[in-house]
Amino acid sequence: MAQTWGHFFFSLLDYKTEKFVIAKNKKVGVLFRLFQLGVIGYLIGWVFIWKKGYQETEETIQSSVVTKLKGVDLTNSSQFGLQLWGAEDYVIPPQGDRVFFIVTNYLVTPNQRLGYCPESPKVPDGFCTSDSECPEGESVIAGHGVKTGRCLNDTGTCEIHAWCPVEHGKAPTEPMLAKAENFTVYVKNFIKFPKFGFSKSNVLPTSNSTYLKTCKYDKDHHPYCPIFLVGDMINWTGFHFQDLAAKGGSVGVGIEWNCNLDKDESRCNPEYSFTRLDSSDNLQHSATSGYNFRFARYYNDAAGQTFRNLFKVYGIRFDILVNGKAGKFSIIPTVINIGSGLALMGAGVFACDMILLYMMSKSSFYRETKFEAITKKSGRQRERKHGRHHGHHRHDRRHKKEDKPSSEVDALTSVSVQGNNPERPENQAKSHSPERKPHASVSFRTPHSSGKHTISPTSTLRTQRNQ
Ligand SMILES: *[C@@H]1O[C@H](CO)[C@@H](O)[C@H](O)[C@H]1NC(C)=O
């Protein structure tokens, strides 16, 4: 028992190397080389050069966006007269957010006061033919006020307690703030890749102090100018300012940071993209097109009474979406990618083996040569069947024994000498079984014997059992 363990531990110190069978088959050979070439091409071309598999990447980008709009427009409406719109009026909310709305068109209902007036004929729940259809205290569903119990004959709607008069009419079909096309948006974007401790802004340092006051973003001429014309931004989505301005719409501005931090910091720059977010094929006629909402401005008159101006505003909503990823060389992904490439080579070995051993016309020959069943029984049978002199070709595996300690070799030799005819010339043995050529008969010199000896199956098996 102790001896067995001793052998086991000694055998741990042995280095085992694989032995290969070379199949002289050009078809499978070429196939395998092509596969290897493919894997190498994939690894170098796609994984390393194209996908930058040698880099560690970071896809979480921390970013902050600040916007500022500039431009004014003067509007003139029949109910409301002249009105000057500055950025503080048309940008909602005004604090310079990542998402902002620009008023391009509006419908105003000036001087609304709390009182009694007929419900708008646009509200279905407001229709009536008699007072009983307007129960007092009930609010109009999707309407403007609370029913008072009276049905007004001249409009055919209930009387309501509300901000009067209620809104009526439609927004102009031409945008009121046509000059919004020439408003400018200044986008400041600060980003950080926390893993690499890298931060940058889209406002690049420039020695020219007036550059930021005069430049306009242009994909070709000023790709890093952070100031955009509203009209241009909409044109780049493939729509026209007029399409969106009258009914409203939504535009996404993408800022993409793709940074290769192995290169210089100055090559890490943002790329802008523009898309219309509320688009669909039948947009012009669908109820979902456009974007509007209402707000009111409240005032007190000289008598202390409150009145308000109600605005229904149409406009363009901008969403600024920041995306990015950064990559930097790292040893771990490099090793992993090389490892998986090598594993793929293994798949090629498997596939070529399958083809060679099962799909070629001479597959059975290759199978016979490659696989060797060693069982106690078959070993003896074979020996009996083929006679002693044939047995010694079959044990190519025993090459390994060459570097065994000399005492073991002694044991082997002593057995094999009994079972073999040492005088038998080797080449003669070979000529007996040409199909065994790849497995040259095994022979070696042992320190204690002068001649060459070959091993028979029985002898090796016996030694194996002895171990
Ligand atoms: C916007 O500016 C351009 C050039 O400055 C001008 O030609 C155009 O008329 C302006 N658009 C509007 C609606 O004012």
Side-chain angles (χ1 to χ4, degrees):
M1 186 68 189
Q3 208 187 354
T4 319
W5 282 105
H7 275 296
F8 172 70
F9 284 118
F10 268 115
S11 72
L12 282 185
L13 298 179
D14 292 340
Y15 175 70
K16 281 182 210 144
T17 182
E18 280 178 69
K19 184 176 163 181
F20 293 97
V21 176
I22 296 170
K24 298 258 178 211
N25 184 311
K26 292 283 175 289
K27 277 185 209 153
V28 178
V30 167
L31 185 73
F32 185 60
R33 291 293 165 219
L34 282 181
F35 185 86
Q36 279 183 323
L37 222 66
V39 169
I40 290 172
Y42 158 80
L43 196 67
I44 293 176
W46 177 257
V47 175
F48 280 103
I49 296 178
W50 186 250
K51 286 286 174 188
K52 297 200 170 55
Y54 56 87
Q55 286 186 334
E56 185 179 21
T57 55
E58 154 119 81
E59 304 210 3
T60 48
I61 181 168
Q62 296 175 343
S63 110
S64 151
V65 174
V66 180
T67 55
K68 184 182 270 184
L69 276 96
K70 286 202 172 150
V72 287
D73 198 0
L74 194 64
T75 62
N76 192 1
S77 69
S78 49
Q79 319 107 308
F80 203 50
L82 280 177
Q83 166 112 357
L84 185 77
W85 292 80
E88 57 284 6
D89 304 304
Y90 62 72
V91 183
I92 301 168
Q95 67 262 35
D97 222 334
R98 189 182 68 79
V99 179
F100 58 93
F101 176 87
I102 302 179
V103 178
T104 51
N105 201 5
Y106 65 92
L107 172 69
V108 66
T109 314
N111 289 319
Q112 285 188 321
R113 286 166 192 271
L114 271 178
Y116 300 92
C117 55
E119 177 56 288
S120 160
K122 286 183 194 163
V123 183
D125 191 46
F127 290 122
C128 64
T129 45
S130 67
D131 287 354
S132 62
E133 287 172 59
C134 304
E136 193 181 342
E138 193 178 276
S139 58
V140 184
I141 295 166
H144 299 97
V146 179
K147 296 173 184 172
T148 59
R150 284 178 64 200
C151 184
L152 299 174
N153 285 333
D154 34 333
T155 56
T157 57
C158 297
E159 189 190 56
I160 52 168
H161 186 197
W163 288 97
C164 291
V166 295
E167 183 186 274
H168 59 89
K170 274 188 172 170
T173 47
E174 286 292 306
M176 298 286 285
L177 282 84
K179 288 205 179 72
E181 197 180 351
N182 282 347
F183 292 168
T184 57
V185 186
Y186 178 19
V187 178
K188 276 194 269 189
N189 176 211
F190 304 92
I191 57 126
K192 187 170 188 180
F193 290 106
K195 197 196 266 179
F196 302 124
F198 176 84
S199 50
K200 201 166 176 180
S201 152
N202 70 329
V203 184
L204 306 181
T206 167
S207 51
N208 184 349
S209 60
T210 57
Y211 180 71
L212 280 183
K213 295 210 184 302
T214 54
C215 77
K216 297 277 176 302
Y217 171 83
D218 184 303
K219 216 183 185 86
D220 303 315
H221 303 108
H222 300 283
Y224 305 127
C225 172
I227 294 166
F228 304 85
L229 274 183
V230 170
D232 284 349
M233 287 165 105
I234 294 164
N235 288 339
W236 290 322
T237 67
F239 291 83
H240 293 292
F241 176 76
Q242 299 293 330
D243 299 341
L244 276 87
K247 288 270 175 192
S250 179
V251 170
V253 179
I255 305 181
E256 180 89 23
W257 294 84
N258 270 329
C259 292
N260 183 350
L261 299 182
D262 291 332
K263 292 187 179 158
D264 193 69
E265 187 185 314
S266 65
R267 310 209 20 202
C268 170
N269 287 314
E271 260 179 52
Y272 301 95
S273 61
F274 307 88
T275 49
R276 184 169 179 185
L277 298 176
D278 65 336
S279 65
S280 65
D281 293 339
N282 50 357
L283 192 72
Q284 296 305 317
H285 307 289
S286 87
T288 57
S289 82
Y291 182 35
N292 66 72
F293 60 90
R294 291 182 180 83
F295 68 90
R297 294 211 171 109
Y298 293 82
Y299 309 91
N300 285 335
D301 62 11
Q305 294 294 311
T306 303
F307 67 97
R308 69 175 198 182
N309 294 334
L310 176 70
F311 289 87
K312 180 179 186 182
V313 290
Y314 297 80
I316 301 157
R317 176 190 149 118
F318 288 89
D319 280 66
I320 298 178
L321 313 158
V322 182
N323 269 307
K325 65 172 194 279
K328 199 173 194 176
F329 171 79
S330 169
I331 192 72
I332 293 169
T334 310
V335 170
I336 289 174
N337 279 316
I338 292 174
S340 60
L342 293 181
L344 244 141
M345 297 253 188
V349 172
F350 179 77
C352 290
D353 267 10
M354 287 296 122
I355 293 168
L356 183 74
L357 298 175
Y358 299 104
M359 285 148 100
M360 305 293 295
S361 52
K362 280 188 277 175
S363 279
S364 58
F365 162 65
Y366 288 121
R367 267 204 306 279
E368 244 173 67
T369 323
K370 184 172 159 80
F371 300 129
E372 187 178 15
I374 306 175
T375 58
K376 190 174 148 194
K377 206 174 163 195
S378 70
R380 275 190 187 153
Q381 271 175 346
R382 212 183 277 170
E383 198 190 10
R384 229 176 286 140
K385 200 167 150 195
H386 293 273
R388 285 171 183 181
H389 52 278
H390 271 210
H392 63 277
H393 308 298
R394 303 187 168 274
H395 292 283
D396 42 295
R397 296 249 164 143
R398 300 305 147 206
H399 269 300
K400 284 178 192 169
K401 301 280 179 193
E402 263 178 296
D403 49 20
K404 288 265 173 188
S406 62
S407 64
E408 241 171 277
V409 177
D410 274 346
L412 277 178
T413 324
S414 64
V415 181
S416 60
V417 171
Q418 289 169 8
N420 274 289
N421 183 356
E423 270 116 36
R424 188 175 188 85
E426 203 158 312
N427 46 5
Q428 196 191 334
K430 263 184 201 169
S431 64
H432 271 242
S433 49
E435 87 275 10
R436 295 297 177 200
K437 220 163 143 194
H439 303 258
S441 62
V442 179
S443 62
F444 50 83
R445 272 171 199 282
T446 58
H448 297 275
S449 63
S450 51
K452 277 187 172 178
H453 295 290
T454 49
I455 312 163
S456 74
T458 4
S459 64
T460 49
L461 282 167
R462 214 173 292 155
T463 32
Q464 265 188 332
R465 255 187 300 141
N466 288 347
Q467 277 175 6

